[in-house]
Amino acid sequence: MSGKVETVDIVLPLVISEDQNQWKTSIAKRLKVSIDDIHEMRLIKHSIDARQKKIKISLRIEVGIRQALPKQEDLPQFKLKPLTKNSRTILIIGFGPAGMFAALEAIELGYKPIILERGKNVFDRRIDLPKATRKGYIEEDSNYSFGEGGAGTFSDGKLYTRATKRGPVKKVYDILVAHGAPPRILTDAHPHVGSNLLPKVVMRIRESIINAGGEIYFSQKVNDFIIQNEKVIGARTQQGQEFICDATILCTGHSARDIYELLQQKKIIIENKPFAIGVRIEHPQALIDSIQYHYPRGDVRPEMLPAARYTLSSQVEGRGVHSFCMCPGGFIVPAATQNDEVVVNGMSLSKRNSPFANSGIVVNVEVEDTLNAQQEHGVLAGVLFQKQIEQIAKKAGGNGQVAPGQRLTDFLSGKLSTSLPKTSYVPGVQTARIDQLLPQWIVKPMKTSFKYFEKNMPGYITEEALLLGFETRTSSPVRIPRHKETLEHLQLKNLYPCGEGAGYAGGIASAAIDGMRCAKSAILNQQNK
């Protein structure tokens, strides 16, 4: 009887989920073959189903029936072919996930990427971060948002994305693993790298780009585009340099507000888009574990289970409220980019072993919500609203990057917290009436949603839960429009808006995919001209 290769999904109780003999028994039953016919197995996907008290593990396994599986490298390999001296050039503004993967794709297609990054390299950037956490001072071009690798470098490295139809997610994961990311991201249903590992991955990607002939310039902040005959031919930097290239990919991230201002000043088309604003909530991780894994608080979490995560959402009178960037076993960090604002965000290390769990809880802000400001500020009305909330947080915190804070129970009952629980947020928290600092059209749906979340996760509402203000950088309030097919800007030729900052991505993986798409389209368009 001839052999074959099958892919099979099985579900096993947690306690036997790592026993490969149990895999064989379940696979044989599912495929109606003998256990002896199972020659080889390879795990493709691993996910946890904790919806019921008896936790189950879902496994997708590639199985060789009476034959070996196709050979596969132990780890994905990635090597770029060196560029030639006469390679055409492509300018990439921003070296976050979109910029990094745009550069890799450009090299694969024979184009030389010239990359401009306003911030510093990862090593120097890490030196600047403690200024925010310990001293309350923001280095405005080198912080948790700006610098090599972008905002994602020091924000957990979550890779889960629903953008599977937009491009090759697997290629993104393979490239990350080839540059040092943990191989488990290839099989985990909700993969993450960790903020302690991702900087090394980013540095190795930079080395691949440079070794192949690409150029990367740090501390080069773009402050003008060079435009001739409605065509972008390059960019100027604040440091006084000009860079001329065949095409320009703009992937500056959602916090580069000066780029939006530059586009508005030059009357280059940009648009308002929805975004979200809210708070970051922090619980003891042990509490979230006990809720999600259905065991009494105080029991030790089984070793086979990771720190529990959650995803929550609701609709309140047509307005969406949802959890954002949930960080199990994580820390809250200062994500402001200027010293007159306070912004909070979350991160986790690879082991996710902090005693705290945190998540953004944010409320959708529609274009219609900023109509009054649009009369004066046009398409930057959403940016202005973000900034106003961040400045309110700064004033309420009172010093450096100290954030305003309120117990969840006090937020719901509308009173000032007389004391605050312990927190992972190093700059410190000042008790404040968050329920009064935010607009009521944000506060009211948030209060209703917290009560709804409690029904889904009994114990979520507790005096141990701390709200910190404010989570404002969920996504860009602006979209830079581009052609649906060519991805070129609708007004300017040779300009390719890309990634989160342009309004086309929402995380590391989707930004990386968009970077590859933009590079491919830009190069194809150049070749057809």
Side-chain angles (χ1 to χ4, degrees):
M1 189 179 292
S2 62
K4 59 181 179 179
V5 174
E6 296 274 5
T7 299
V8 61
D9 294 318
I10 61 173
V11 178
L12 295 173
L14 174 67
V15 293
I16 62 171
S17 61
E18 296 184 2
D19 185 341
Q20 295 200 11
N21 288 325
Q22 294 291 339
W23 294 11
K24 284 187 176 183
T25 300
S26 295
I27 291 168
K29 184 177 180 180
R30 176 65 60 87
L31 297 181
K32 297 180 180 179
V33 299
S34 167
I35 289 178
D36 294 335
D37 288 335
I38 299 175
H39 182 78
E40 192 175 1
M41 300 179 296
R42 180 184 296 144
L43 180 64
I44 298 174
K45 189 67 67 178
H46 175 285
S47 62
I48 299 170
D49 183 352
R51 291 172 293 179
Q52 305 297 326
K53 190 168 184 178
K54 291 185 178 180
I55 298 171
K56 296 181 179 180
I57 305 297
S58 297
L59 303 170
R60 177 165 293 171
I61 301 171
E62 189 178 23
V63 187
I65 305 297
R66 295 180 294 277
Q67 72 170 54
L69 291 172
K71 286 188 177 181
Q72 186 181 57
E73 296 283 351
D74 290 337
L75 291 176
Q77 303 296 307
F78 184 81
K79 189 168 184 178
L80 293 168
K81 183 179 178 180
L83 295 164
T84 61
K85 290 184 179 180
N86 59 352
S87 296
R88 296 180 69 178
T89 58
I90 189 164
L91 183 64
I92 298 172
I93 303 175
F95 197 50
M100 286 190 295
F101 280 80
L104 294 173
E105 186 75 9
I107 293 170
E108 284 194 297
L109 296 173
Y111 269 60
K112 178 179 180 176
I114 297 177
I115 303 158
L116 307 181
E117 168 54 51
R118 70 190 296 162
K120 300 178 183 178
N121 64 50
V122 162
F123 179 81
D124 291 336
R125 189 180 174 193
R126 293 184 85 157
I127 295 173
D128 289 332
L129 296 183
K131 297 177 184 177
T133 54
R134 302 290 179 184
K135 299 180 181 179
Y137 175 76
I138 301 294
E139 283 285 351
E140 296 192 351
D141 287 317
S142 180
N143 44 59
Y144 276 98
S145 294
F146 296 146
E148 184 176 18
T153 301
F154 298 100
S155 182
D156 189 68
K158 284 181 284 291
L159 301 176
Y160 177 70
T161 179
R162 293 185 177 91
T164 53
K165 295 182 180 179
R166 297 184 194 173
V169 176
K170 185 179 184 303
K171 181 177 179 179
V172 171
Y173 292 176
D174 284 348
I175 289 173
L176 291 172
V177 171
H179 288 88
R184 67 172 183 269
I185 69 172
L186 303 174
T187 55
D188 284 354
H190 289 85
H192 80 109
V193 179
S195 297
N196 54 323
L197 301 182
L198 198 52
K200 297 176 184 177
V201 176
V202 167
M203 285 190 288
R204 288 168 183 155
I205 290 176
R206 181 220 307 165
E207 290 169 1
S208 288
I209 292 169
I210 292 173
N211 290 340
E215 297 179 10
I216 303 176
Y217 297 89
F218 293 107
S219 299
Q220 288 288 342
K221 182 178 179 179
V222 169
N223 64 358
D224 198 9
F225 298 109
I226 304 172
I227 302 171
Q228 291 182 2
N229 302 320
E230 297 186 348
K231 183 184 295 184
V232 174
I233 63 168
R236 297 185 181 93
T237 68
Q238 186 174 287
Q239 290 69 31
Q241 291 186 253
E242 286 190 358
F243 297 85
I244 307 298
C245 288
D246 294 300
T248 297
I249 302 177
L250 182 64
C251 30
T252 48
H254 59 48
S255 291
R257 292 169 172 168
D258 52 306
I259 291 294
Y260 303 143
E261 293 168 0
L262 173 62
L263 294 171
Q264 187 185 53
Q265 290 167 8
K266 299 183 81 69
K267 301 187 185 316
I268 297 170
I269 301 171
I270 51 178
E271 304 170 341
N272 290 300
K273 67 174 277 294
F275 56 107
I277 277 180
V279 298
R280 190 146 283 263
I281 186 168
E282 187 168 60
H283 290 85
Q285 181 63 51
L287 172 63
I288 300 301
D289 288 342
S290 68
I291 295 172
Q292 294 297 79
Y293 292 144
H294 316 287
Y295 62 74
R297 177 85 177 270
D299 285 6
V300 178
R301 185 179 72 225
E303 288 186 6
M304 289 182 285
L305 291 175
R309 54 183 298 278
Y310 62 80
T311 301
L312 297 167
S313 65
S314 69
Q315 285 281 329
V316 181
E317 297 180 354
R319 192 179 293 277
V321 183
H322 62 276
S323 57
F324 171 79
C325 186
M326 195 273 154
C327 297
F331 307 85
I332 299 177
V333 297
T337 50
Q338 292 185 308
N339 280 291
D340 63 345
E341 60 196 28
V342 166
V343 181
V344 290
N345 194 9
M347 62 167 277
S348 298
L349 303 182
S350 59
K351 291 184 178 180
R352 287 180 164 171
N353 56 359
S354 158
F356 299 99
N358 70 76
S359 176
I361 300 293
V362 295
V363 179
N364 288 354
V365 179
E366 305 297 337
V367 172
E368 294 75 20
D369 294 320
T370 60
L371 282 177
N372 291 337
Q374 288 174 40
Q375 295 177 7
E376 180 179 355
H377 302 281
V379 293
L380 299 186
V383 174
L384 175 67
F385 181 58
Q386 280 182 324
K387 182 73 173 182
Q388 289 173 337
I389 297 297
E390 294 161 6
Q391 289 177 326
I392 288 170
K394 175 76 174 186
K395 185 177 180 181
N399 180 39
Q401 285 299 300
V402 175
Q406 187 176 22
R407 290 183 189 267
L408 174 56
T409 48
D410 293 334
F411 174 81
L412 293 173
S413 60
K415 63 181 182 181
L416 185 72
S417 298
T418 56
S419 64
L420 298 174
K422 290 182 179 180
T423 177
S424 66
Y425 186 67
V426 174
V429 185
Q430 172 65 44
T431 185
R433 288 288 301 275
I434 284 180
D435 60 306
Q436 292 182 346
L437 296 178
L438 287 170
Q440 289 306 298
W441 57 268
I442 289 180
V443 170
K444 288 180 179 179
M446 194 181 292
K447 284 186 174 182
T448 301
S449 296
F450 277 130
K451 294 173 183 177
Y452 172 77
F453 297 161
E454 169 70 17
K455 292 179 180 179
N456 285 271
M457 294 180 61
Y460 190 82
I461 293 179
T462 169
E463 288 190 352
E464 295 180 277
L466 174 66
L467 304 185
L468 288 84
F470 291 110
E471 179 87 46
T472 54
R473 309 288 178 94
T474 57
S475 65
S476 169
V478 168
R479 178 174 288 112
I480 307 174
R482 66 188 189 190
H483 190 278
K484 186 176 180 180
E485 301 298 329
T486 67
L487 308 185
E488 198 170 35
H489 189 270
L490 296 181
Q491 178 185 357
L492 292 173
K493 299 295 182 184
N494 291 354
L495 178 65
Y496 296 84
C498 182
E500 284 200 44
Y504 298 101
I508 292 172
S510 60
I513 290 169
D514 202 52
M516 292 190 292
R517 288 184 66 216
C518 285
K520 190 171 183 179
S521 290
I523 290 168
L524 180 62
N525 294 340
Q526 287 295 315
Q527 292 171 344
N528 290 336
K529 290 179 181 179

